[in-house]
Amino acid sequence: METWDAIRARRNVREFADRPIPGEHLDQILEAGRRTPSSQNWQPWDFVVVIDREQLRELSRVWRGARHVAGSAATIALVAPTPEDDQQRDRLHYDLGQATMSIMLAAVDLGVGSGHSAVADQQLARQLLGLPADKLCAYLIALGYPADRPLRPIERPNRRPFEDVVHRGRW
């Protein structure tokens, strides 16, 4: 798939087919995350990949909106250092957002759907993922082949009109 098609085809997938993701595809998706640019080349992330069905079920309990994690073929936990101050927190979330999008675009390019999730229960996430005390689980990205329909460019996305969003030169 071309980049522009991948951007237009990406959507949040919450229902996954019971089909594994080939290891080489999962590694390519992870490599996209690893190659993501970050502030001052900080690279604050680590990725924990979960494919065990029981562990995925348990991991889906870290936030009320993470139920789709239980049915995913794999879920990537984005792990980061606990921020030392507000400035580091802001840099961290910006960088993790970029890594998230890189992962999601690499996935859709391979026909793999994704759905992101926040993490509320850090203690449970830390226990399930074996995280060190100075790390936190910032986000989860559930991956799998869509159960309903394959990924393809969306002709009429549910987005604000281009003319309402884009301002040239001034507001």
Side-chain angles (χ1 to χ4, degrees):
M1 189 178 291
E2 295 293 321
T3 304
W4 181 237
D5 288 339
I7 289 168
R8 293 183 311 131
R10 203 219 61 80
R11 60 181 165 88
N12 285 332
V13 176
R14 303 270 188 231
E15 297 288 331
F16 302 101
D18 186 17
R19 179 178 157 202
I21 299 169
E24 63 273 12
H25 286 184
L26 198 51
D27 286 350
Q28 187 173 335
I29 292 166
L30 291 159
E31 178 67 4
R34 187 184 74 86
R35 287 177 175 249
T36 300
S38 64
S39 174
Q40 300 173 343
N41 202 27
W42 180 27
Q43 304 173 56
W45 44 70
D46 285 278
F47 308 125
V48 178
V49 184
V50 178
I51 59 172
D52 176 78
R53 180 62 51 215
E54 186 54 36
Q55 190 179 8
L56 288 166
R57 280 189 200 103
E58 290 296 312
L59 195 57
S60 73
R61 297 176 34 226
V62 299
W63 185 57
R64 62 179 163 69
R67 289 185 300 276
H68 61 287
V69 167
S72 68
T75 289
I76 301 171
L78 276 69
V79 177
T82 303
E84 297 172 6
D85 55 35
D86 289 347
Q87 181 181 8
Q88 191 179 62
R89 183 200 67 224
D90 293 346
R91 286 175 57 210
L92 178 66
H93 287 292
Y94 187 85
D95 288 349
L96 291 174
Q98 291 189 104
T100 297
M101 199 64 202
S102 292
I103 287 167
M104 292 176 135
L105 286 175
V108 75
D109 190 52
L110 296 167
V112 175
S114 62
H116 59 285
S117 172
V119 177
D121 191 338
Q122 286 295 323
Q123 184 176 350
L124 179 58
R126 186 170 280 111
Q127 172 196 341
L128 291 170
L129 301 171
L131 302 182
D134 64 336
K135 301 288 184 182
L136 60 85
C137 182
Y139 306 108
L140 299 175
I141 305 171
L143 301 169
Y145 297 97
D148 56 353
R149 64 190 193 280
L151 297 168
R152 60 180 158 260
I154 300 166
E155 295 303 319
R156 285 187 231 108
N158 184 12
R159 294 287 178 258
R160 292 170 43 211
F162 185 86
E163 301 76 26
D164 290 355
V165 175
V166 176
H167 309 273
R168 300 185 189 270
R170 297 178 55 96
W171 187 270

